[in-house]
Amino acid sequence: MNADRRTRIKLVGVASLLALSSLVACKREQRRFRESPPAATSANNVSMSELQPGPAVTNVQLRDPYEDNAYAVAQGKQLFDQMNCSGCHSHGGGGIGPPLTDDEWIYGSDPQNIFSTIVEGRPNGMPSFRGKLANYQVWQLVSYVRALGGLQGKAVRTTRDDHMMYKESEQARDKGHPTPTFVPPTSVKQ
Amino acid sequence: MIAARSRVRLGSWWLSPHLLTMTVAMASTACSGFQSVLDPKGPRAEAVSKLHWTLLSIATVVYVIVIAVLLYALWYASHRPLPAGDHPYRETPDQADTMKRGVIIAVAVTVIVLISFVFASVSTGSTLGRLGGTKPLRIDVVGHQWWWGVTYNDPDPHNQFETANEIHVPVGRPVLIKMTSQDVIHSFWAPNLSGKKDLIPGHQTITWFRADTAGVYRGQCAEFCGHEHAKMAFFIVAEPTLKFESWVQQQRGEAQKPTDSLQAAGERVFLNGPCAMCHTISGTGAGSKFGPNLTHLASRLTIAAGTLPNTTGNLAGWILDPQSIKPGVKMPPNRIDPQSLQALLAYLENLK
């Protein structure tokens, strides 16, 4: 009788644990299909320097709307190939452009910095995508670029490649430590 | 209260003669149509259709016989007089012999029928494998989420051209289709012409068909490939050879140049805005291959892979907010002021 009761308590315990764990699924990341259309870029307020004349004002902080959102990172990965980012950054490894998998960020590694780098372009080769991509697509790219640099959570996997798999996933890769050949004096080191 | 009322309404609807009418109508339309396996328009679909009807009719005959015998047995058992004796239901040796013979014959007939099914199936398969004719038209098809890229090959690269979601073919000439996929597995299926064949990323598959009757046939992706799998259709337009040749000549050309200032403004909107990031219009600076080729957009029947008829209004709605028409599609919504939109539409409508 006693053993029976214990078994029943155990069963109830396991069942309620299962029920609780199923609730976790309710709070999954969202896939938002219907994003706002591309507005005038909102990165105009982002400055590249933390130094300011006059009384100190806090820099604008744009939040990455897709922080830790695996779907957005995956979309960003597709865009990275489609917009030919790989043409210069070569799947994050760098070539004509600087590598994105290391910890050197010439123009800043904050989401807002990467956003404005993509939208405005940078000297010596980075083209400006102003008016060419919807804002939300730029943010998806930002999420992916941050994932390349290991700045997204480990749990945010970028799904498989669209091509034959010949390399490790971005998150599994070791971060390199290349020496930057040229760092513009205005660069913000994060 | 509301629930109760709707249930009543639903009930009366079920009882109404509409359902019967609809069922009959659906059953009768199933045998013809521009996307139907029961309305074959080429040798491959015909072979499959023949096999289907053969197997179905034999299976129907078998079914009717089995049910008739069963009903007869039930009727006979309830009407025959009870036999006398200690074990009234034990069969006599005579009866046992009859039963044994019956079972042996039934098993033999079943085995013969099933083996003949195998032969019918294998011979149909070999018919499907053989190319029905010589000098096939060679077309490359690439599956994308969620549209079909179509390339007409030619030994002379200058004569090669691309289109999307629409395959024109000459009547009576076999068409050899070489397929692959850009992202996930899709499946090419035009029921009136041929069976399904998968498009697999990183791998080439081949299928062929021949359209023996001119017409427009709808095809559909037949392998679940994501959110808009259902809106990934294509059209096969089978035309007499001369008409097909003139279509080819027209498709080989570069895009129409703008003929007035409005269209010229539209071209600028296209080339300077986000459109050119994904679409190609040959003869202009737009050369990206991520979205469907729009060089001769106005000559197509539908937009968005068979989702909407190709009209100005639909095109405008599609450009502004594709996500409400095909949620999940890779094309982003676009904010374009009315003048620019009108100009863009005028330009696109001119791409005959």
Side-chain angles (χ1 to χ4, degrees), chain A:
Chain A
M1 188 66 198
N2 208 8
D4 249 19
R5 204 164 158 200
R6 225 175 283 154
T7 324
R8 208 179 305 150
I9 289 171
K10 263 187 213 161
L11 269 176
V12 169
V14 169
S16 49
L17 260 178
L18 276 177
L20 269 177
S21 62
S22 74
L23 280 180
V24 176
C26 297
K27 208 182 168 320
R28 290 203 60 199
E29 64 189 32
Q30 287 186 329
R31 290 184 176 194
R32 295 194 298 261
F33 292 143
R34 216 158 162 217
E35 302 285 0
S36 57
T41 79
S42 55
N44 286 343
N45 297 331
V46 177
S47 46
M48 287 308 298
S49 171
E50 283 172 356
L51 301 174
Q52 290 157 12
V57 182
T58 339
N59 255 339
V60 190
Q61 285 287 333
L62 292 183
R63 209 176 52 83
D64 176 5
Y66 298 121
E67 188 77 52
D68 284 343
N69 185 322
Y71 175 67
V73 171
Q75 295 298 102
K77 180 171 181 168
Q78 287 194 349
L79 282 168
F80 195 83
D81 264 3
Q82 285 149 12
M83 297 298 133
N84 202 20
C85 307
S86 281
C88 294
H89 295 289
S90 179
H91 301 286
I96 299 170
L100 302 174
T101 46
D102 58 12
D103 42 15
E104 292 287 347
W105 294 86
I106 304 176
Y107 296 104
S109 65
D110 279 354
Q112 53 184 356
N113 296 134
I114 301 172
F115 185 95
S116 68
T117 299
I118 295 171
V119 170
E120 293 176 5
R122 293 294 175 219
N124 304 322
M126 175 75 192
S128 158
F129 285 80
R130 190 191 303 280
K132 303 284 186 186
L133 283 176
N135 264 3
Y136 76 88
Q137 290 178 312
V138 180
W139 280 121
Q140 287 171 344
L141 271 171
V142 169
S143 305
Y144 176 62
V145 169
R146 280 172 63 79
L148 276 177
L151 299 172
Q152 295 276 17
K154 273 265 178 198
V156 186
R157 294 265 164 191
T158 58
T159 70
R160 53 126 186 76
D161 283 86
D162 277 344
H163 312 285
M164 297 278 271
M165 202 62 155
Y166 59 93
K167 56 186 195 293
E168 284 178 302
S169 90
E170 285 78 357
Q171 281 81 354
R173 240 181 273 164
D174 286 337
K175 306 279 171 284
H177 299 282
T179 328
T181 46
F182 171 68
V183 181
T186 53
S187 71
V188 178
K189 272 210 171 179
Q190 301 287 318

Side-chain angles (χ1 to χ4, degrees), chain B residues 52-135:
Chain B
H52 164 78
W53 287 116
T54 310
L55 299 198
L56 185 69
S57 41
I58 293 174
T60 308
V61 169
V62 170
Y63 180 75
V64 167
I65 289 173
V66 168
I67 293 294
V69 169
L70 176 68
L71 289 178
Y72 172 74
L74 287 173
W75 176 85
Y76 178 76
S78 62
H79 280 76
R80 66 172 176 177
L82 260 183
D86 293 342
H87 303 285
Y89 291 109
R90 178 174 294 169
E91 62 269 353
T92 60
D94 254 11
Q95 285 174 324
D97 271 0
T98 317
M99 294 271 263
K100 203 169 160 189
R101 213 176 308 129
V103 169
I104 288 173
I105 290 172
V107 168
V109 168
T110 307
V111 167
I112 288 168
V113 167
L114 286 182
I115 286 179
S116 69
F117 276 18
V118 169
F119 278 109
S121 170
V122 167
S123 76
T124 306
S126 77
T127 313
L128 295 184
R130 255 178 275 129
L131 186 65
T134 50
K135 288 195 179 171

